[in-house]
Amino acid sequence: MSEGEYISLGWFERDDVNVIVNYLREHRKVNTIGLWGRSMGAATALFHSNRDPSIAGMVLDSAFADLK
């Protein structure tokens, strides 16, 4: 049901990842978190990890090499 006139290629989606990671840490008492992403999901994981150095590891498949 998601619609829109543009896509952010993972830039705004990193905020969604932040909400999920915070929920896991605060409500589920999860200490070690890893991210997996493919294509735009890989870019999203990279954008989030830049703000959260506590991410333990990432599996990134087909991330963008160049946003141009």
Side-chain angles (χ1 to χ4, degrees):
M1 297 175 58
S2 179
E3 295 182 17
E5 304 219 358
Y6 65 93
I7 58 172
S8 70
L9 300 174
W11 183 253
F12 294 117
E13 291 78 9
R14 70 188 179 144
D15 296 332
D16 298 334
V17 174
N18 189 53
V19 169
I20 294 165
V21 167
N22 287 336
Y23 174 82
L24 289 172
R25 288 190 175 132
E26 293 172 12
H27 299 285
R28 298 291 182 168
K29 308 297 183 203
V30 175
N31 295 321
T32 304
I33 296 176
L35 301 175
W36 175 86
R38 181 176 179 274
S39 190
M40 192 173 83
T44 302
L46 284 168
F47 287 139
H48 174 75
S49 69
N50 185 53
R51 302 189 301 186
D52 186 353
S54 69
I55 296 298
M58 298 186 293
V59 176
L60 306 172
D61 180 14
S62 306
F64 306 119
D66 188 348
L67 291 177
K68 290 181 182 180

